Amino acid sequence: MERVVNLGPIDRTLLLSQHEHKSELLWKVCVGRMQYHRALVTAMVERWRPETHCFHLPFGEVTITLHDVQVLFGLRIDGDAVYIQDATRRIRPWRTLLETLTGCIIAPTDMDGASRVRIHSITGYLRDQLQVDPIRDATLVERVERIARLYMLVILGGILFSNTSGNLISLQYLAFLDPIHDVGKYSWGSAVLAYLYRALCRASIVMWLTFADLFLSFR
């Protein structure tokens, strides 16, 4: 059965006037699993211009700003820079770091290179751990932090900084999760926007080069 999202209040005794509020209409809506609209993504890439970092549309130019990222994702847009190259020089090997910080042991067959791991091995470990021993009020802080790091790793590598592999995430983000209380000091919003700009620029350039090769091959 497909999972759905319903953001309705858990305890309605705390919201006595909820039935009169407009948000009640939204909370009655069940949202299914969201899928990428590949044709729309391709169309937007075609209209992206690396020179201006804007979408060129019939009614004018449109871009994505830091404010958009902050509003849509709730990410911090100030603070320390997220610098992956610096992290790779400081911490290795990544499998050892993953086991140390989270307790998750990854088989070599689930690794791709030195720092990329199959996301299903992480989510599978999370599911098994929480089924056997769910997080409760009496759960040790160390265990809570280990589970939280795994969730953050999946969000960072699989959602905010996703790649074209489809099922691989980078363990390099672990460098920003130790200590876990330092995660909030980074400017994740600006990093996400820069990553998005870079991905759009690369995809746009590759697409136009492909079009150029096709055009020349038919001449």
Side-chain angles (χ1 to χ4, degrees):
M1 183 176 66
E2 189 176 45
R3 292 178 298 177
V4 297
V5 178
N6 190 342
L7 300 180
I10 297 176
D11 186 357
R12 288 182 173 269
T13 62
L14 301 177
L15 301 173
L16 301 181
S17 300
Q18 174 59 33
H19 65 282
E20 301 176 356
H21 201 274
K22 292 181 179 179
S23 65
E24 182 69 11
L25 297 176
L26 298 177
W27 280 343
K28 288 181 178 178
V29 177
C30 290
V31 181
R33 185 174 298 169
M34 299 180 66
Q35 299 291 336
Y36 289 112
H37 195 304
R38 297 183 181 276
L40 177 60
V41 172
T42 301
M44 297 305 293
V45 171
E46 289 178 354
R47 288 159 177 76
W48 179 260
R49 294 296 178 268
E51 302 85 359
T52 59
H53 288 165
C54 292
F55 296 104
H56 285 221
L57 302 176
F59 53 82
E61 296 182 350
V62 178
T63 192
I64 305 169
T65 67
L66 270 177
H67 181 68
D68 295 329
V69 176
Q70 184 184 37
V71 171
L72 292 173
F73 293 102
L75 296 173
R76 182 176 180 176
I77 59 175
D78 60 349
D80 294 349
V82 179
Y83 192 56
I84 292 293
Q85 283 76 9
D86 182 56
T88 59
R89 288 196 296 266
R90 288 187 290 113
I91 301 176
R92 287 179 186 273
W94 296 107
R95 283 183 61 209
T96 302
L97 182 64
L98 176 67
E99 182 178 354
T100 302
L101 295 181
T102 69
C104 180
I105 302 176
I106 298 298
T109 54
D110 287 328
M111 295 288 297
D112 180 38
S115 64
R116 298 208 301 177
V117 62
R118 300 189 189 282
I119 191 171
H120 299 297
S121 61
I122 301 292
T123 55
Y125 176 84
L126 270 172
R127 182 178 59 252
D128 295 341
Q129 286 291 309
L130 294 177
Q131 285 179 349
V132 174
D133 185 14
I135 299 296
R136 299 183 175 88
D137 292 340
T139 303
L140 296 177
V141 174
E142 181 181 1
R143 173 171 166 75
V144 174
E145 290 183 352
R146 289 189 168 196
I147 297 297
R149 285 192 183 98
L150 285 175
Y151 271 113
M152 291 180 189
L153 178 63
V154 171
I155 291 173
L156 290 172
I159 300 176
L160 297 179
F161 301 99
S162 58
N163 53 65
T164 56
S165 68
N167 65 345
L168 295 173
I169 60 175
S170 175
L171 296 179
Q172 295 179 5
Y173 298 109
L174 287 171
F176 303 97
L177 306 182
D178 183 36
I180 195 171
H181 302 291
D182 285 350
V183 178
K185 74 178 184 180
Y186 293 103
S187 179
W188 292 109
S190 58
V192 167
L193 184 61
Y195 187 86
L196 177 61
Y197 278 3
R198 181 173 179 267
L200 283 169
C201 289
R202 294 182 64 180
S204 177
I205 292 172
V206 170
M207 179 174 292
W208 285 111
L209 289 176
T210 303
F211 286 160
D213 289 340
L214 289 174
F215 175 77
L216 292 176
S217 64
F218 285 108
R219 290 189 62 183

